[in-house]
Amino acid sequence: MTAVQEPKTVTFDDNDQKPVGFGRMLRKEDPRLLRGRGRFVDDIQLNGMLHLAILRSPFAHARIVSIDTSAAEAYPGVRAVVTGAALAELGLAWMPTLSNDVQAVLATDKVRFQGQEVAFVVADDRYAARDALELIDVEYDVLDPVIDVRKALAPEAPLIRDDLEGKADNHCFDWETGDADETEAVFARADVIVKEDIVYPRVHPAPMETCGAVADFDAVEGKLKLWSTTQAPHAHRTLYAIVAGLPEHKIQVIAPDIGGGFGNKVPIYPGYVCAIVGSIVTGKPVKWMEDRSENLISTGFARDYIMRGEIAATRDGKILAIRTNVLADHGAFNGTAAPVKYPAGFFGVFTGSYDIEAAYCKMTAVYTNKAPGGVAYACSFRITEAVYLVERIVDCLAAELDMDPAELRLKNFIQPDQFPYETKTGWVYDSGNYEPTMRLAMDMAGYADLRKEQEEKRARGELMGIGISFFTEAVGAGPRKNMDILGLGMADGCELRVHPTGKAVVRLSVKTQGQGHETTFAQIIAEEIGIPPADIEVVHGDTDQTPFGLGTYGSRSTPVSGAAAALVARKVRDKAQLIASAMLEVTVADLEWTKGSFHVKGDPGKAVTIQEIAMRAHGAGDLPDGVEGGLEAQICYNPSNLTYPHGAYICVVDVDPGTAQVKVRRFIAVDDCGTRINPMIIEGQVHGGLTDGVGMALMEMISFDEDGNCLGASLMDYLIPTALEVPDWETGYTVTPSPHHPIGAKGVGESATVGSPPAIVNAVVDALKPYGVRHADMPLTPSRVWDAMNGRATPPI
Amino acid sequence: MQVPAPFEYERATSVDQAIGLLERLGSSARLVAGGHSLLPMMKLRLANFEYLIDINPLHAELGYIRSGSDEVRIGALTRHRELLESDELAAAFPIFRDAERVIADPVVRNRGTLGGSLCQADPSEDLSAVCTTLDASCVIRGPGGAERVVTMKEFHVGPYETAVGDGEMLTEIRLPLRSGGGSAYEKVERRAGDWAVVSAGAAVWLAADGTIADARVGLAAVGPNTTGIPEISAALRGHEPAEELYQEAGAIAARSCDPATDTRGSADYKRHLADELTRRTLRKAVQRARS
Ligand SMILES: Cc1cc2nc3c(=O)[nH]c(=O)nc-3n(C[C@H](O)[C@H](O)[C@H](O)COP(=O)(O)OP(=O)(O)OC[C@H]3O[C@@H](n4cnc5c(N)ncnc54)[C@H](O)[C@@H]3O)c2cc1C
């Protein structure tokens, strides 16, 4: 384990240091992607392939009276029209969700959100399929919808889930964590209590590539090949086996290049199942590729938490306790992707990075007539909501105490000698050293000077804000003793095979959607066995080619599969050592490893390289007793704990007092994700996440009108940020390795998405201080900022 | 991929041939210029036309900016990008470059046209506000080469509705040149490339003595059409430019417009912007007129 390193700021001087191991190097996958040679689901073309289009409900809540498909069936080029009733005959009208609920594949009884799947058409081409949708005649009996989540549990609220036996209301689940009484006792003796209602609105991951699949069922072999946009090919395969009743060994799920996931591609969507059914029914390969509007209105959304935050502190700024009450909108079906025992994901880390005496959360989740999900958008299983809550409420406390928000945070950090630190909600933070990270961010920002500049500007009537957020994430799910998804443990397999000439292939269960696995994992192997990354092929995304594992989301690839890769390489190295001892005719104990070769202790000239060992492993001549030929290993890694990356973010905004437009002028991000494998890839992940943060803080929201019409059904309505809305990111880092991870890495894929929204909102609220604003909800569009300036900040829902 | 309903497509070979086709095919046909308004609507199946007549082959004929002594004439097929890059136009009417900088993005600007923008008659269309501000007139050509010229006010009949009839086509926009002029445009958007929450254009013409000989303000996204506000012109005419005057103009703008609350913003906020942006653009237009 390396010691904690000096904090560093980032330079981009040499992005390709050609490391044999960790270091900056250009991504191996980029030449393919940049030259248009990527192969995405929509690039898959098979002989005789047909196209599928889905008819979706125009209503948020309606009973299906009748469906007439005859005109669609007669349309030229149409091969099949399938309704929920037809699926019901096959027992496929409903499927399990990732949260032990059920979801309709095609609606049979009622539609429960606008955009819900009602029927599908398979036709010779995409156009005919889409044209025929217009010819399906559905008669609906429109029902009152439940749109305002606050009214979902009202006695007069229409019942959404009458499909569930005995269900009489729209209650989904209750969940609590922490100690209510203890927290109440601490609140009772606190000098200062601050309360704030904080909404994290519904947002959408909106990956550039929408969801889709090509299903090819071979009736003779009884084998299903499914190319699909999935972040978790193995988990999907097992679920298809359970849902469709196909034997698991006859299902091959292939996730080719994926154009962004952000959690959107974790669930199984009805469209995938429809494509499979379409192929079985027609006997041909069938492609389904949803369009942009379908992706935005029907696939997994994120957030939608209405949070009452309360914080208790002493007058001099010691935080004592945090309490929250959450109303969670889960949409029409509970499709949240989270480990089974964690219905609210990892929201329990809402105590943040602070050493406090007590904490309590009570959550009520409800059904509404909106798309299901709650999966995603780089949220680390709801840590986004937790971090936003705590970092916003801490700022409210700073305002109440009239204390500098940086100072308040520094005063309350968990101290380095307290790790491993068990929080009041039962999470064991593996490691952390918060103050250097915070200080580096403040130095990079020139914090004191910024405050001075702000004061001068305020005197002139200009609005400038400085916002801070400090986050601790819990990523790398997870230990199989308490984490599983639908009964599948969250451990990851990995296989490494070194070929005779010393080149290698590593097979992963996780699947990149842009995170750069083909580079990072080659570097992990390279670091351990000294084979250059260029000589290591990374195979992933194909269940027939890779070992079982739960996939890429929740920043888990490096914490879980990264550990598996390091350990499998060490296994190979151990075997290489046995072979080397035979080659050099010394005992194993007499050998020393320097990256890429074994040499005899005290005699560096007597050495064999890993390449020479590989040839020997496969070549002629005897191997030591008990050593088999070949140079390969496999492993299944079960993490002993989550890893806990942290970071300090500082945002500087200017607000136009006349138009209320917010300009993010600077953003300083200091991340500590433990050991840094490829710093360039880390920075890329951070840049992307920060951009996401600007989107959520300032413009993104999936909203609905009172009839349940989705108002974010295109990228003209649902805004995502462009390069013009973001500043030059200023990134820095500290390194606090994870003590239980073989290489000390912690995962960074979601840190910036988690950490940036509170920094930006805190900055805007800080800018509006002269107007007496203490809180304003996202998205901080000019109109909503102007409302706040005029003393009528309102929640967005 | 969003796919439109079936339609037939024909490339125009001349203005009169295009008009002939429109005349024959009636309301089931539409011209396609840049396609950046029409095609998205067709892909979303909000609009379904049986025939598209592509007038892009006529760009050589209808894509131009010509300055005369008393007016500037711009061909209907002149693209956003050409309007943005024309120094000649920026010198005469800086409002054009101001506006083009904030319309859509380079991809849209490479294809979208002035004629398409005006004919789309979207209440948020920036170039409609610009043309209203500059008191433009529109040349509409009909069967047999017959031409009529209408004012912007006449041109925009209602939201998404213009004076161009079946079998007619907009061919040219004419902008009167007057001395002592200055103009400016301001837009508030939620994000670069988004449609306006509100935008405002202002043009002023100063007399030799420095007073305002004439002034016009055009607003977008605050009512059924981009409208000129005669009351503002009346309030400004004959006065020395001054901050109080802009304030008065802003107040008139705020009360004369008719915005609706939507996801871009509340009606109150939009009214406030009409005021704020009117003041800002008048201030800048006067500054430019003076220099
Ligand atoms: C992503 C995006 C962002 C945008 N942002 C903005 C913005 O910020 N501000 C803004 O103002 N606009 C914006 N637009 C619209 C853009 O400016 C369009 O190009 C413009 O509205 C239409 O011009 P067009 O040439 O593309 O017209 P088309 O789409 O080709 O045509 C539009 C309509 O006009 C008719 N038409 C076209 N030319 C003629 C003619 N000569 N005579 C008669 N009828 C004709 C067509 O039949 C059609 O009905 C945006 C568009 C997109 C796609």
Side-chain angles (χ1 to χ4, degrees), chain A residues 106-129:
Chain A
L106 293 177
T108 47
D109 51 345
K110 283 203 304 190
V111 288
R112 293 176 171 84
F113 66 93
Q114 187 189 50
Q116 187 180 339
E117 299 78 1
V118 174
F120 70 80
V121 172
V122 182
D124 290 342
D125 61 53
R126 211 171 263 197
Y127 290 85

Side-chain angles (χ1 to χ4, degrees), chain B residues 65-74 86-97 134 175-184 202-205 285 288-289:
Chain B
I65 300 168
R66 284 183 204 131
S67 305
S69 55
D70 58 351
E71 65 182 8
V72 174
R73 298 181 167 201
I74 307 179
S86 166
D87 292 332
E88 191 182 342
L89 191 61
F93 304 112
I95 184 174
F96 258 104
R97 187 165 283 172
L134 295 178
L175 307 165
L177 271 173
R178 292 148 70 182
S179 63
S183 59
V204 295
W205 293 270
R288 283 171 171 170

Side-chain angles (χ1 to χ4, degrees), chain A residues 131 293 656 658-659 720 725, chain B residues 2 45 191-192 266 269 272 280:
Chain A
D131 292 344
S293 298
D656 183 324
T659 62
I720 48 181
E725 279 73 43
Chain B
Q2 250 130 352
R45 301 198 180 208
R191 188 204 66 189
S266 66
Y269 172 64
H272 162 76
R280 286 186 186 191

Side-chain angles (χ1 to χ4, degrees), chain A residues 371-393:
Chain A
V375 293
Y377 202 164
C379 73
S380 298
F381 296 128
R382 304 282 193 185
I383 288 176
T384 320
E385 291 89 323
V387 165
Y388 182 66
L389 174 78
V390 59
E391 289 308 289
R392 194 73 271 293
I393 197 80

Side-chain angles (χ1 to χ4, degrees), chain A residues 173 175 305 330 336 338-339 341-348 363 381-383:
Chain A
F173 66 82
W175 177 78
Y305 268 24
H330 277 242
T336 298
K341 290 180 194 150
Y342 300 81
F346 299 170
F347 186 77
M363 178 179 297
F381 296 128
R382 304 282 193 185
I383 288 176

Side-chain angles (χ1 to χ4, degrees), chain A residues 678-697:
Chain A
N678 184 332
M680 187 197 73
I681 286 183
I682 293 172
E683 287 147 22
Q685 293 289 292
V686 171
H687 288 185
L690 296 175
T691 307
D692 277 348
V694 169
M696 291 179 288

